[in-house]
Amino acid sequence: MRTLVKHGRIVTAVDDYHADILIVDGVITEIAREIRDPEAEVIDAAGRMVIPGGVDPHTHLESPSALTTTSDDFVTGSRAAAVGGTTTLIDFARQSKGGSLQQAYDTWQQKARARTCIDYCFHLIVVEMDEARLEEVPAMIASGVVSVKMYMAYRGRLMVDDGTIFRTMLAFKEHGGLIALHAENGDVIDVLVRQALAAGKVAPKYHAVTRPPVTEAEAVFRGICIAEVAECPVYFVHLSSRQALEQVQRARDRGLPVYAETCPHYLLLDESLYEQPGFEGAKYVLTPPLRAVEHQDALWTGIRAGDLAVISTDHCPYCFVDQKALGKDDFSKIPNGGPGIENRLSLIYNAGVHGGRINNNKFVDLVSTQPAKIFGLFPRKGTIAVGSDGDLVIFDPNREIEISAATQMMNIDYNMYEGMRLRGSADEVLLRGKPIVRERKYVGQPGDGAYVPRQRYRYP
Ligand SMILES: [Zn+2]
């Protein structure tokens, strides 16, 4: 299979130039001013940017929670990702209590294999780490699962203690892995939640009130300290507040291998949405919660400075009508999470580049290159170069789209950005040279995506 992308403006994390790109059997074989190949399918990218396919390192597809399961499975969620310009996702294979790491990996492979529309791989979620589990670590890393996420909140279901975090860090860093943390002080939050409910405060907005920024900042600081003792690289998922970011900044200023991501909703939405009438606020019950608007400036500053290296979605969709409603009379029972896998590139291009906050190269870095580098996918993913996979997005920086749940591909009955008009959209998407989106319409097949084993951590 030969695909030739002509006349595009190639934008990577560092480059910006006009050239043609030839992809043969999935891999970029040539980049030159002018390429002719009579056998290749030609895609004309004139007037548009050609960027590496997005890498979303934080999604929850077909993921069971306490009372329900996320509404997008590996087919619908990855199809929505494709339409939005994302060609690789990293989901989470979750260990069950008493279960092995291998079982977690096998279970999630079963959900994803032959169904996913874009390339995929997994972080593990570890909930226990005893001797038998420690012995599995080298095999996990050899299967390309080089990162683990652990939760510092949700006691009784997901939360691990500091000793488990430390043991897991030691084991994974020894074999070339890294650790991601969901940083919130779960025990303090649990007390605040119980107090709120006892006082009759059951509405969605109390989800935010009971998870103040300092509970995030404390956990980030603790996570950094444990990682420093373990000499292990650490990555903080969904960073949401200025106070938490300050901890990351301080650690990075000291030269520690500490990384963090934020998500579009923390940059573009704020806690005033919880004040909407009735149960509407439940649409924004995600964790950490939306913050006061002044946190947004701090996060953008952190992005420009490189302290926030990645923008992921934390796509964790629950339908409003029959899933969010589980918490109608008790905010603590509202499934935590929101949708976003389809809209990441347009949201960040519009607010970031058109908003004058970042340039084109930084945009690519945040949504593709950095997640690929930190999580061991680079240079196969995350850039446009000879030898890299032919995952390309023909991106029209000026095309205007309007976000609406009525027209979206995500399998969910609302969108947090409903009605927002954005400039910047993926027009065509190639997955290893194969067109899977043409003129913004999905034309691929479930199973187009392949499992991508990841490389051991190298200092990016
Ligand atoms: Zn998440």
Side-chain angles (χ1 to χ4, degrees):
M1 190 176 64
R2 305 170 80 85
T3 316
L4 179 56
V5 177
K6 289 196 70 79
H7 312 305
R9 174 184 171 192
I10 298 175
V11 176
T12 69
V14 289
D15 299 310
D16 189 342
Y17 60 100
H18 285 79
D20 297 350
I21 304 168
L22 181 65
I23 304 162
V24 178
D25 296 333
V27 174
I28 296 172
T29 55
E30 193 181 346
I31 301 172
R33 249 300 127 95
E34 183 77 47
I35 303 175
R36 278 169 230 279
D37 185 331
E39 277 152 50
E41 177 184 347
V42 175
I43 293 172
D44 186 3
R48 294 172 293 177
M49 295 179 1
V50 182
I51 60 174
V55 177
D56 190 340
H58 190 158
T59 69
H60 301 273
L61 302 177
E62 223 168 316
S63 171
S65 60
L67 301 167
T68 184
T69 298
T70 53
S71 60
D72 267 314
D73 61 18
F74 277 85
V75 177
T76 63
S78 64
R79 198 165 56 198
V83 168
T86 292
T87 53
T88 304
L89 61 83
I90 315 181
D91 207 271
F92 296 92
R94 185 159 85 221
Q95 177 197 25
S96 26
K97 291 234 160 104
S100 69
L101 306 183
Q102 186 67 44
Q103 280 165 350
Y105 175 81
D106 292 342
T107 303
W108 259 263
Q109 273 290 15
Q110 221 154 41
K111 300 184 199 205
R113 191 181 289 134
R115 298 178 72 219
T116 310
C117 303
I118 60 175
D119 284 357
Y120 68 93
C121 41
F122 304 110
H123 312 280
L124 283 169
I125 290 174
V126 159
V127 297
E128 296 170 327
M129 188 48 76
D130 55 21
E131 277 307 316
R133 302 291 80 85
L134 286 170
E135 282 170 18
E136 288 188 272
V137 172
M140 279 296 118
I141 296 224
S143 356
V145 184
V146 299
S147 49
V148 169
K149 181 168 85 164
M150 286 174 287
Y151 287 84
M152 301 169 84
Y154 302 114
R155 183 175 285 282
R157 276 201 306 124
L158 297 165
M159 181 169 152
V160 291
D161 61 22
D162 294 347
T164 303
I165 293 174
F166 187 55
R167 279 196 305 281
T168 309
M169 282 179 168
L170 288 172
F172 270 82
K173 79 104 199 247
E174 187 188 333
H175 298 281
L178 74 158
I179 298 299
L181 291 174
H182 171 124
E184 284 187 305
N185 188 315
D187 285 339
V188 169
I189 288 167
D190 286 348
V191 173
L192 294 174
V193 168
R194 276 197 299 276
Q195 282 179 343
L197 292 174
K201 297 171 174 171
V202 297
K205 68 174 177 185
Y206 294 105
H207 172 71
V209 175
T210 54
R211 309 181 97 89
V214 68
T215 59
E216 183 184 27
E218 182 277 334
V220 168
F221 178 64
R222 181 158 38 105
I224 289 168
C225 294
I226 299 169
E228 185 174 1
V229 182
E231 297 180 40
C232 180
V234 64
Y235 178 96
F236 291 95
V237 295
H238 53 46
L239 213 83
S240 68
S241 67
R242 174 182 55 76
Q243 293 90 325
L245 174 61
E246 283 168 359
Q247 300 304 326
V248 171
Q249 283 164 339
R250 224 165 276 165
R252 290 178 57 82
D253 288 349
R254 290 175 51 224
L256 296 174
V258 172
Y259 309 95
E261 64 175 27
T262 191
C263 310
H265 42 269
Y266 300 119
L267 296 166
L268 305 173
L269 306 175
D270 69 78
E271 66 182 9
S272 64
L273 289 161
Y274 295 120
E275 299 296 337
Q276 292 181 314
F279 193 57
E280 277 296 296
K283 293 178 176 173
Y284 310 93
V285 168
L286 34 78
T287 308
L290 301 180
R291 303 298 190 186
V293 70
E294 60 261 25
H295 291 269
Q296 294 175 358
D297 277 342
L299 296 178
W300 282 111
T301 300
I303 283 171
R304 277 192 299 274
D307 293 313
L308 291 168
V310 171
I311 299 179
S312 74
T313 60
D314 192 8
H315 179 70
C316 190
Y318 297 104
C319 288
F320 183 66
V321 167
D322 54 345
Q323 295 189 292
K324 291 287 187 181
L326 291 165
K328 226 164 173 75
D329 306 310
D330 175 350
F331 71 88
S332 73
K333 295 201 168 62
I334 300 171
N336 285 193
I341 200 167
E342 184 172 346
N343 305 125
R344 181 177 61 133
L345 270 63
S346 289
L347 288 167
I348 297 308
Y349 198 82
N350 183 73
V353 181
H354 287 306
R357 295 177 171 104
I358 54 172
N359 63 26
N360 281 324
N361 301 111
K362 183 70 174 179
F363 165 70
V364 171
D365 204 34
L366 289 163
V367 301
S368 177
T369 313
Q370 283 298 327
K373 283 185 171 173
I374 293 170
F375 291 112
L377 291 160
F378 185 87
R380 183 172 169 188
K381 307 293 189 188
T383 194
I384 298 175
V386 171
S388 295
D389 280 356
D391 298 344
L392 301 178
V393 176
I394 319 287
F395 193 88
D396 185 337
N398 292 311
R399 185 177 303 282
E400 195 167 288
I401 58 164
E402 182 172 334
I403 292 193
S404 166
T407 54
Q408 71 192 5
M409 300 290 285
M410 296 184 288
N411 183 38
I412 180 167
D413 58 0
Y414 75 97
N415 190 302
M416 295 193 288
Y417 310 93
E418 184 70 36
M420 220 180 247
R421 299 185 75 82
L422 306 172
R423 248 185 333 138
S425 158
D427 279 356
E428 326 275 329
V429 179
L430 304 181
L431 178 67
R432 283 175 279 105
K434 179 184 172 174
I436 57 170
V437 174
R438 288 185 199 266
E439 294 180 23
R440 294 167 303 289
K441 296 279 179 293
Y442 180 69
V443 296
Q445 297 285 333
D448 283 339
Y451 175 70
V452 193
R454 293 185 284 128
Q455 306 293 309
R456 288 172 169 78
Y457 170 82
R458 285 167 296 172
Y459 208 97

